[in-house]
Amino acid sequence: MTMMSGAQMLVRSLEDLGVKHLFGYPGGAVLDIFDALLDSKQIERIICRHEQGAAHMADGYARATGKVGCCLVTSGPGATNTVTAIATAYMDSIPMVVITGQVGTPLIGSDAFQEVDTVGITRPIVKHSYLCQSALDIPKFLREAFYLAASGRPGPVVVDVPKDCVNPKKLFEYPPMQEVKMRSYNPTRLGHRGQVRRAAKILAEAKRPVMLIGGGVVLGNAEIKVRALAEKFNLPVTSTLMGLGAFPGTDRHFLGMLGMHGTYEANEAMDKSDLVFAIGVRFDDRITNTVSKFCPTAKIIHIDVDPASISKTVMADLPIVGDADAVLGQFFDAIDELKLERNDAALDAWWQQIDKWRAVNCLKYKTDDELLKPQQVIEAVYAATGGKAIVATDVGQHQMFTALFYPFSEPRKLLTSGGLGTMGYGFPAAIGAKVGCPDACVCLITGDGSFQMNIQELSTCLEFNIPVKIFILDNHTLGMVRQWQRMFYQGRISSTNLNYNPDFVAVAKAYGHEGIFVEKPSELKAAVEKALAMKDKLVVVDVLCDTDEKVLPMQQFGGSMGDMFLAD
Amino acid sequence: MRHIISILLENQNGALSRVVGLFSQRGYNIETISAGPTEDPSISRITIVTESEGVEIEHISKQIHKLINVIKVSILDENPEGAVEREILFVKVQAMSRAVRDELKSLCDIFKAQIVDVTPELYVLQYVNTSAEIMRFLEVIAKQADVIETVRSGVCGIARGEHALHL
């Protein structure tokens, strides 16, 4: 019989759950837990400089590895600092467990020092949350939390641990690991067989089909079956921002990203299609443009593990609730059983039409000898990394340029805050990814605005030797907001200039890293290669970019999928 | 359209607040809510009356079901055999004169309401019925006596016939 304190049980539970890396920041309410962590041989601690960073690191770790990311912070401000990161993970359905310290149970509700109602504050942005009442709740709740975070539609789970529950003087018998069973939670894995057969027939008969994939394909590890289905039925494939990489970006079936800044061919194909075969998407407003004008001639087949995502914004003609990979497996069974074959004549005509849209070359842009275009930077990073890097982004123009100009060929290579649109996400997410995938080349593509929102983590990278490569598309402005001001606010530039940036190269050096400044297009290639060649160094590459470059195409407000502003 | 939602959920810390929070977070309205434990003390049951248009009730139902603590959700008014619903009303009225007292007593007899507290100046009336009937009763009472205060329990509902909400 092993007797342990609550703190020891917490550490042991994490070990039993396979946690190898714990992101976090110490504080009063978690002193006993950090003390117990000293004795763990399995768990490496990565200590951030701001708790938002720790939680984004856990998120980036989860996205890159597919494992549950975990972080530990103290009560009060420690917990509230993670709120943005929890919301980020929630919107993108990322499996993450956030352990927060709490004041002792006798003090709860007394406005004690560093007390905050963490469960209450985070309630709308978690998949679930727990407040431990006793030490023995800790192993039980942690096991449930990891199970909930990773299963069904994944998401963040908060476990709030009051200080008296981890008292090192009170010892308990550690309960052995058991399979988690919850009578109120049974996510659907397999789709309805009849629905799958009906959907398979519709797919085979479609004349102008489009396969639309989203984050659910990445989270559900369904990329192999998605590819096989696209090949079997010669389907054009488009992806949401969250799905990029789940289908090879360089494959001839791939039309690029769709939506507000989607490609002309992807949006036109959606608009004119007779079938949208959607897997693991949620039809958010950055995808659909005006819902009432969305794909007017298309039937919608919608596969998702979360029934609440189906027919939420776009009514599905044929809904299938289930895990993406499992349901696609059922599709292949149905296709064999029903001996379904593709309609080559119709598809050939459809592809000819698509090729005409492709010929518009909607991603063309003008270069300049003196001033770099942000697109060139993404292309240079793509070329130098062979398209193999894990790329984290922040939010704004650089994010869209990355989505459009870095054709990801594998899932879990693009880490980006799609749902919440969190500036400051990218850098800590890149750190988490590098911790989880130490052999991978991890790049951050960021903007001069976003990077400053979590720039303090440069110190974390030095302490824990995390050599990510940082490319700042430095246009001295909040580029996306500026783009809107220029396009929709008569050019009235309000509060978007960033004329007081630090010297980012000097900042990098002050934190003990390397920095390179790129001013001219002619310097770009060598600088990117030099940065990547310094394998063991964090390198900040500050690239001066055109302030006025716009992300195009762009859908017109109030229009259909196909109503877009294009580059001249 | 008015709907009655019945929810079976784990009787755990914060479970009720998750349900209530969901309604405000997603912009759904709650007209009445009542909650209590079931015959199994580990399970609570909540009845919520809401106004919603078109398919919104389906979204509400799916979102409630998505809460981890929730075991089952049922829209009672969608039961083909219908549902029984009741609410309790307490109303404290001024009852000083003999005439008013007699009138209140006779109204209570007609409505099958009860007088549950009496002072020389006040009556507390108790009435159990549907929300619509309670409103009617209250209107009638208010014409005969000065209403000091009222309190309603919120709707408690159960499906008629075979349909049942249990594990």
Side-chain angles (χ1 to χ4, degrees), chain A residues 169-378:
Chain A
K169 295 201 181 78
K170 291 190 181 154
L171 301 181
F172 303 83
E173 192 182 334
Y174 178 71
M177 284 288 282
Q178 277 175 337
E179 201 192 334
V180 175
K181 277 200 181 120
M182 301 172 76
R183 63 182 172 186
S184 63
Y185 175 76
N186 295 294
T188 310
R189 204 178 80 80
L190 287 176
H192 184 279
R193 197 160 160 265
Q195 290 284 84
V196 171
R197 288 165 69 98
R198 272 188 286 281
K201 272 190 221 159
I202 294 172
L203 182 62
E205 286 161 9
K207 296 192 173 67
R208 301 184 310 280
V210 177
M211 188 193 252
L212 166 60
I213 61 170
V217 174
V218 177
L219 295 163
N221 303 308
E223 65 275 7
I224 292 170
K225 293 203 178 79
V226 160
R227 192 169 185 181
L229 193 65
E231 276 166 14
K232 166 90 187 161
F233 286 108
N234 193 17
L235 299 171
V237 180
T238 182
S239 174
T240 67
L241 179 63
M242 297 310 299
L244 290 178
F247 194 85
T250 46
D251 189 289
R252 68 174 186 88
H253 291 93
F254 194 61
L255 310 184
M257 184 173 73
L258 83 166
M260 179 174 278
H261 289 296
T263 65
Y264 183 69
E265 50 269 37
N267 285 344
E268 279 289 9
M270 288 289 290
D271 192 52
K272 308 297 187 297
S273 67
D274 70 346
L275 175 68
V276 172
F277 187 85
I279 313 167
V281 299
R282 57 189 181 85
F283 293 107
D284 91 293
D285 53 288
R286 287 296 193 266
I287 295 303
T288 58
N289 210 359
T290 315
V291 171
S292 59
K293 296 178 186 171
F294 179 73
C295 303
T297 50
K299 268 199 160 51
I300 313 277
I301 294 173
H302 190 178
I303 303 167
D304 203 283
V305 74
D306 176 13
S309 280
I310 294 179
S311 298
K312 186 177 71 176
T313 55
V314 169
M315 292 302 288
D317 296 289
L318 201 150
I320 299 172
V321 177
D323 170 79
D325 192 57
V327 171
L328 290 179
Q330 291 176 283
F331 262 87
F332 283 104
D333 294 343
I335 289 162
D336 287 345
E337 271 175 50
L338 300 167
K339 301 194 169 47
L340 298 174
E341 291 299 334
R342 70 188 188 204
N343 183 347
D344 273 325
L347 287 166
D348 287 347
W350 181 224
W351 274 109
Q352 280 173 22
Q353 174 61 63
I354 288 170
D355 286 339
K356 281 183 200 154
W357 291 322
R358 273 181 165 161
V360 168
N361 191 16
C362 69
L363 296 181
K364 62 179 179 276
Y365 62 92
K366 294 190 185 94
T367 54
D368 183 293
D369 286 346
E370 290 302 308
L371 190 55
L372 270 158
K373 298 289 181 175
Q375 296 93 322
Q376 289 175 280
V377 186
I378 312 292

Side-chain angles (χ1 to χ4, degrees), chain B residues 6-167:
Chain B
S6 234
I7 304 161
L8 214 57
L9 74 171
E10 297 286 353
N11 186 5
Q12 280 170 359
N13 239 323
L16 176 65
S17 78
R18 288 178 211 277
V19 174
V20 175
L22 174 72
F23 273 73
S24 58
Q25 171 191 347
R26 300 229 174 234
Y28 311 142
N29 74 80
I30 295 180
E31 219 145 85
T32 77
I33 180 166
S34 70
T38 62
E39 73 282 3
D40 176 346
S42 72
I43 298 175
S44 301
R45 181 159 171 160
I46 304 177
T47 310
I48 291 178
V49 174
T50 184
E51 257 321 306
S52 73
E53 295 310 318
V55 294
E56 193 189 40
I57 188 66
E58 242 183 84
H59 297 171
I60 296 176
S61 169
K62 283 188 199 170
Q63 291 292 350
I64 296 171
H65 199 262
K66 195 168 150 180
L67 295 172
I68 304 299
N69 289 146
V70 169
I71 300 167
K72 279 187 179 166
V73 183
S74 171
I75 312 299
L76 288 185
D77 44 278
E78 286 176 357
N79 179 33
E81 290 166 281
V84 183
E85 57 164 302
R86 290 293 181 270
E87 230 189 306
I88 297 184
L89 164 80
F90 290 124
V91 52
K92 189 176 279 180
V93 290
Q94 203 106 51
M96 302 220 276
S97 74
R98 182 63 184 264
V100 170
R101 285 179 173 243
D102 285 351
E103 189 56 38
L104 289 172
K105 176 75 177 80
S106 108
L107 284 172
C108 284
D109 289 344
I110 294 166
F111 277 90
K112 296 199 176 69
Q114 288 169 288
I115 301 167
V116 293
D117 187 48
V118 177
T119 74
E121 294 176 0
L122 299 165
Y123 274 0
V124 174
L125 315 181
Q126 170 189 305
Y127 186 47
V128 180
N129 210 324
T130 62
S131 307
E133 287 302 308
I134 279 180
M135 289 309 291
R136 238 165 56 79
F137 176 73
L138 206 50
E139 264 175 47
V140 171
I141 294 296
K143 280 184 190 145
Q144 301 302 329
D146 289 339
V147 173
I148 310 291
E149 64 170 327
T150 62
V151 58
R152 293 166 62 169
S153 63
V155 169
C156 186
I158 194 163
R160 290 184 192 275
E162 301 277 297
H163 182 81
L165 212 58
H166 54 73
L167 277 185

Side-chain angles (χ1 to χ4, degrees), chain A residues 46-191:
Chain A
I46 295 96
I47 303 306
C48 61
R49 296 300 178 266
H50 182 288
E51 288 92 344
Q52 184 189 353
H56 283 319
M57 287 174 204
D59 172 315
Y61 181 89
R63 292 190 207 225
T65 64
K67 293 186 249 176
V68 177
C70 189
C71 70
L72 167 65
V73 299
T74 194
S75 65
T80 55
N81 278 346
T82 64
V83 166
T84 301
I86 295 171
T88 304
Y90 181 71
M91 290 292 273
D92 291 344
S93 307
I94 303 307
M96 179 165 103
V97 171
V98 178
I99 303 167
T100 52
Q102 183 56 277
V103 301
T105 50
L107 286 174
I108 288 180
S110 71
D111 300 323
F113 177 65
Q114 291 194 332
E115 182 193 357
V116 77
D117 175 9
T118 302
V119 165
I121 285 176
T122 57
R123 190 195 46 71
I125 51 166
V126 294
K127 181 167 176 183
H128 196 53
S129 49
Y130 293 94
L131 171 60
C132 298
Q133 305 282 351
S134 72
L136 283 169
D137 280 346
I138 295 171
K140 178 175 190 287
F141 289 171
L142 279 176
R143 288 163 195 174
E144 289 187 5
F146 273 73
Y147 169 64
L148 287 172
S151 59
R153 179 177 180 177
V157 180
V158 165
V159 182
D160 202 21
V161 185
K163 192 166 184 185
D164 53 326
C165 297
V166 291
N167 184 342
K169 295 201 181 78
K170 291 190 181 154
L171 301 181
F172 303 83
E173 192 182 334
Y174 178 71
M177 284 288 282
Q178 277 175 337
E179 201 192 334
V180 175
K181 277 200 181 120
M182 301 172 76
R183 63 182 172 186
S184 63
Y185 175 76
N186 295 294
T188 310
R189 204 178 80 80
L190 287 176

Side-chain angles (χ1 to χ4, degrees), chain A residues 431-446:
Chain A
I431 295 171
K434 185 68 182 172
V435 169
C437 310
D439 299 330
C441 169
V442 178
C443 298
L444 166 68
I445 294 175
T446 185

